[in-house]
Amino acid sequence: MTQHSQGRQPSNDPSPASTGDAGATQPKSQSPPPAFAGRVAVSAGRRAFERIVESGMFLAAVSSVVLTVGIVAMLLWESIGFFREVSLGEFLTGTRWAPTFEPSSYGILPLLCGTLLTSAVGLTVAGLVGTTLAVWLSEYASYRVRETLKPILELLAAVPTVVYGYFALLFVTPLLQLVMPNLPGSTALSAGLVIGIMIVPYVASLTEDALRAVPNSLREASFAMGATRFHTAWRVVLPAAFSGVTSAFVLAVSRALGETMIVAIAAGMQPRLTFNPLEPAQTITAFIVQITGGDLPRGSTPYRAIFAAGLMLLMLTLVFNILGHWLRKKYREAY
Amino acid sequence: MVNASTPAGSESSRPAPSTPQQRLDTLPSMQQRTGSNARGGHDSGGLPKGEGSASDASQLPARKALVQDLNFFYGSFQALKNINLPVYDKRITALIGPSGCGKSTLLRCFNRMHDLYRDSRYEGRILLSPEGVNLIGPEMDPIAARLRVGMVFQKPNPFPKSIFENVAYGPRLRGMSKKSDLEAEVEKALRGAALWEETKDRLQSNAMKLSGGQQQRVCIARALATTPEVVLFDEPTSALDPIATQRIEELMRELCERMTIVVVTHNMHQASRVSHFTAFMYLGELVEFNPTSKVFQNPDKKLTEDYITGRFG
Ligand SMILES: Nc1ncnc2c1ncn2[C@@H]1O[C@H](COP(=O)(O)OP(=O)(O)O)[C@@H](O)[C@H]1O
Ligand SMILES: [Mg+2]
């Protein structure tokens, strides 16, 4: 102890010395103003450049806001036109969606049903496969395997969804028909399965990032208690990454709800009020594609229906995003 | 300020030979015994396994673990060189030495933490009493080793779960699922970690919200909930303030009545306050192992003396 207090005393000495140094530099810092002013003059051009860059970035930010507001305003405007002709009550509670038939009917529930059904199937697949893949990549795979597989996985996300659509129609459905011979040629199931396959890369990649962000000290704590790798991954690492995993799922939900080509090609374009995935279905997006592709006159009620349906989809996505945001906030981890 | 039961102030009264004796009178022949085998360890290795002979049993505490000819490699880098070290039952053994000398590496051999990382290799034996299994033998399941040897880390690392779930983690892992059993176990462990009074009303709140010292005691409770035979502490107080440090030190003294403790510390005062035995390591080798009072009053090796008097490190 005595040796130590002796050891500390000299270490106190340098501090007055350093304050002396600081005092010595003060007069110096008063002398350079001319040099400093010179530097300002040189950087005047640079400052103008800075201002241009800054306002450019501000414009970009503003335009994105303006665009969003514009899109919503357009949706609202056309929807208002639609709701002059069809009551909101009929739209929200009607069980038959038949805009192009006589008599026409505008109940959104069958479309909502189709959207939720294909998304639910897709999210189940993506959730199970994506999370398992992420856990495996992050907790089991060696560094080399991970660094090879992740880029390939991200490449999968670049496959055009049309390709996935035909994959569902020409490969997945026939495969399912081998097991269930009575299955129709277009079902919510095959579309949903392929939506799931399409979003697996997103879920896996984002979840893996979240898992890798969990500090190693938590893994070591779990292993030191005698836990297996499996137990550590599912009981410690995955819950600790909850907010990141939620982000991955919010993105996955948005992708699934908004997916268009796969459902347009493989789900059958038949609006039905059913939660049976073995039947054909039509989603909101598939309906919008159908009408936009047809030759209905602009301003007609069926044409305006696509905006009301689009607004519905926007609301749905918004609800899931808010839910995800709230969950993330509630379970935010600070290690 | 300092716990009276520990020979804390003894350093200041360095020339007085009576102070170290107070500690040593329970183990009178320790000085010669361990002093002579600090490096080779042949002597301690040759001690009768179960402390069979009556004279030995009266003079030495029972041995809980014995490190024999231990070499450890990170890839091709040899971090531990021929370590021989006894760990006595229900005593605190401190590992001291300058940063990077291999203290943590040695500690993490006991519970096979190195197995989690690629390219680590053990040579030699760590025999755990009473049955003498080799903790680092290839036939030993690392999980079985970790079930018997608990660990508390340098930085408090509670899980981002409730206090209850943190402490119940080990019991659950061992198949305990009845709520009343778990509650009893959690209370026992929290009492053992001197944390029950502070947390009994908020067992369901997140452990991450506690102060650093409390978090570290949650980690201690988590390790205690599985009643390990040996608990390893790797610089358990280096992230804590002096008051939290003192509480942890007191806690370790209490715990050693029931279990064996090995503690790595960067702080020599801490080693002298809490431990019964001290091992001084340098560059991957064990330089000296002796009763703590001997290491700090009258070390066998010049290198040890240089280190504890602050001449390097
Ligand atoms: N994972 C690792 N890979 C390679 N070398 C390591 C690793 N961990 C520690 N070392 C090296 O082993 C030596 C001992 O480290 P460590 O046991 O952490 O020292 P201490 O705990 O005594 O400060 C150091 O030289 C350190 O650089
Ligand atoms: Mg260390």
Side-chain angles (χ1 to χ4, degrees):
Chain A
M1 201 149 203
T2 42
Q3 288 90 347
H4 267 262
S5 46
Q6 278 167 10
R8 267 191 213 120
Q9 268 163 354
S11 73
N12 284 340
D13 289 337
S15 56
S18 64
T19 49
D21 263 351
T25 50
Q26 260 171 354
K28 260 186 230 155
S29 64
Q30 279 165 352
S31 60
F36 188 67
R39 227 189 291 151
V40 170
V42 168
S43 68
R46 197 189 292 165
R47 213 202 268 170
F49 175 74
E50 194 81 348
R51 203 175 294 161
I52 291 169
V53 167
E54 220 170 88
S55 40
M57 288 193 289
F58 179 72
L59 266 177
V62 166
S63 65
S64 78
V65 173
V66 167
L67 270 174
T68 311
V69 171
I71 290 169
V72 174
M74 181 197 72
L75 276 178
L76 278 174
W77 179 250
E78 296 281 353
S79 299
I80 288 168
F82 172 79
F83 286 120
R84 282 216 187 92
E85 285 151 54
V86 179
S87 81
L88 188 64
E90 189 201 329
F91 180 74
L92 289 179
T93 59
T95 56
R96 188 167 156 265
W97 182 261
T100 52
F101 291 102
E102 274 313 318
S104 62
S105 168
Y106 294 94
I108 191 82
L109 287 181
L111 290 189
L112 205 58
C113 225
T115 302
L116 291 177
L117 191 58
T118 51
S119 298
V121 173
L123 280 172
T124 310
V125 173
L128 290 176
V129 179
T131 311
T132 309
L133 197 56
V135 167
W136 181 76
L137 278 176
S138 155
E139 308 299 309
Y140 288 82
S142 73
Y143 176 82
R144 263 183 57 196
V145 170
R146 181 168 59 240
E147 294 311 300
T148 342
L149 272 184
K150 253 197 121 177
I152 295 177
L153 202 64
E154 277 152 16
L155 206 66
L156 258 173
V159 174
T161 56
V162 178
V163 177
Y164 280 115
Y166 282 103
F167 174 66
L169 189 68
L170 304 177
F171 182 75
V172 176
T173 309
L175 206 65
L176 289 171
Q177 278 167 335
L178 286 182
V179 191
M180 295 172 280
N182 296 330
L183 202 69
S186 308
T187 58
L189 180 65
S190 52
L193 286 178
V194 175
I195 288 181
I197 294 171
M198 180 198 79
I199 40 186
V200 158
Y202 295 92
V203 175
S205 183
L206 286 174
T207 305
E208 204 259 355
D209 288 343
L211 297 180
R212 300 221 48 86
V214 172
N216 222 18
S217 61
L218 291 185
R219 289 185 187 86
E220 290 201 340
S222 173
F223 284 121
M225 297 299 297
T228 58
R229 206 166 270 279
F230 183 82
H231 196 96
T232 302
W234 293 94
R235 296 296 172 85
V236 174
V237 182
L238 204 58
F242 183 84
S243 63
V245 175
T246 311
S247 301
F249 271 86
V250 168
L251 184 82
V253 171
S254 304
R255 293 287 316 213
L257 290 175
E259 176 45 40
T260 309
M261 286 317 289
I262 296 173
V263 284
I265 295 171
M269 293 292 193
Q270 295 175 37
R272 291 188 188 195
L273 188 63
T274 173
F275 276 108
N276 180 1
L278 302 180
E279 288 181 28
Q282 187 171 40
T283 64
I284 297 175
T285 51
F287 163 73
I288 294 174
V289 170
Q290 188 187 24
I291 296 299
T292 347
D295 47 8
L296 284 166
R298 302 191 91 201
S300 66
T301 314
Y303 184 83
R304 281 188 168 150
I306 64 175
F307 294 95
L311 192 64
M312 188 74 201
L313 187 63
L314 186 71
M315 296 294 197
L316 206 59
T317 314
L318 199 65
V319 165
F320 280 105
N321 271 278
I322 290 171
L323 191 73
H325 187 78
W326 175 79
L327 274 175
R328 253 194 339 263
K329 222 170 172 176
K330 181 151 186 243
Y331 295 100
R332 168 153 322 224
E333 266 74 34
Y335 319 109
Chain B
M1 191 195 150
V2 192
N3 189 351
S5 69
T6 65
S10 60
E11 270 173 293
S12 49
S13 57
R14 192 170 176 185
S18 63
T19 326
Q21 280 322 119
Q22 288 171 351
R23 177 76 96 32
L24 280 178
D25 47 31
T26 48
L27 358 138
S29 73
M30 271 310 299
Q31 287 200 16
Q32 302 101 307
R33 274 208 165 273
T34 52
S36 64
N37 64 38
R39 218 152 223 254
H42 302 300
D43 193 2
S44 61
L47 284 173
K49 266 243 168 87
E51 265 73 51
S53 82
S55 61
D56 265 343
S58 62
Q59 290 158 3
L60 278 168
R63 206 174 48 217
K64 184 61 201 173
L66 179 63
V67 180
Q68 276 185 328
D69 305 323
L70 174 67
N71 291 297
F72 180 82
F73 301 83
Y74 290 111
S76 58
F77 173 70
Q78 183 168 7
L80 296 177
K81 293 166 192 154
N82 196 36
I83 305 283
N84 285 280
L85 175 79
V87 175
Y88 290 104
D89 196 22
K90 304 201 169 53
R91 294 291 186 280
I92 300 178
T93 303
L95 304 179
I96 63 167
S99 196
C101 70
K103 306 179 295 289
S104 301
T105 304
L106 174 56
L107 197 72
R108 291 158 67 93
C109 287
F110 283 85
N111 67 343
R112 299 282 293 268
M113 284 309 270
H114 299 300
D115 288 48
L116 299 175
Y117 303 98
R118 248 157 263 270
D119 286 337
S120 55
R121 188 159 59 86
Y122 311 87
E123 274 173 14
R125 283 169 299 282
I126 299 181
L127 304 174
L128 188 68
S129 300
E131 71 281 42
V133 289
N134 178 11
L135 286 176
I136 56 172
E139 69 289 347
M140 182 79 191
D141 180 3
I143 289 181
R146 293 173 198 143
L147 292 178
R148 296 179 63 181
V149 181
M151 185 163 199
V152 175
F153 294 81
Q154 181 165 0
K155 196 172 147 268
N157 57 355
F159 301 129
K161 300 172 185 278
S162 69
I163 297 170
F164 183 91
E165 283 304 321
N166 264 280
V167 182
Y169 190 78
R172 277 194 204 281
L173 209 53
R174 285 155 183 76
M176 190 185 280
S177 56
K178 232 177 99 192
K179 196 154 178 273
S180 56
D181 292 349
L182 284 170
E183 280 169 352
E185 193 65 35
V186 167
E187 174 172 349
K188 200 175 87 190
L190 283 172
R191 281 192 193 282
L195 196 59
W196 175 249
E197 291 305 322
E198 288 157 74
T199 57
K200 64 182 175 193
D201 298 323
R202 47 174 175 150
L203 290 177
Q204 295 309 324
S205 65
N206 197 315
M208 311 292 289
K209 290 198 186 114
L210 299 172
S211 72
Q214 288 173 322
Q215 285 188 14
Q216 192 62 303
R217 277 181 286 144
V218 167
C219 295
I220 294 175
R222 183 173 65 189
L224 294 182
T226 56
T227 48
E229 299 162 42
V230 180
V231 184
L232 313 168
F233 288 81
D234 192 349
E235 305 198 29
T237 60
S238 64
L240 305 181
D241 62 66
I243 290 173
T245 297
Q246 196 194 336
R247 297 201 66 166
I248 304 271
E249 287 177 4
E250 285 164 6
L251 188 56
M252 282 164 59
R253 292 298 293 209
E254 278 168 40
L255 291 178
C256 81
E257 287 165 18
R258 290 181 281 139
M259 55 194 71
T260 306
I261 291 178
V262 184
V263 56
V264 167
T265 174
H266 204 72
N267 177 337
M268 279 175 290
H269 300 297
Q270 180 166 69
S272 72
R273 280 194 299 265
V274 301
S275 72
H276 302 97
F277 296 92
T278 296
F280 169 60
M281 295 177 67
Y282 185 64
L283 297 178
E285 293 185 62
L286 179 68
V287 175
E288 176 162 354
F289 172 78
N290 263 324
T292 297
S293 44
K294 170 140 176 67
V295 170
F296 284 91
Q297 308 303 325
N298 180 24
D300 284 336
K301 298 280 182 340
K302 176 81 169 54
L303 200 58
T304 313
E305 184 171 349
D306 287 350
Y307 179 68
I308 61 170
T309 53
R311 243 163 270 171
F312 73 95

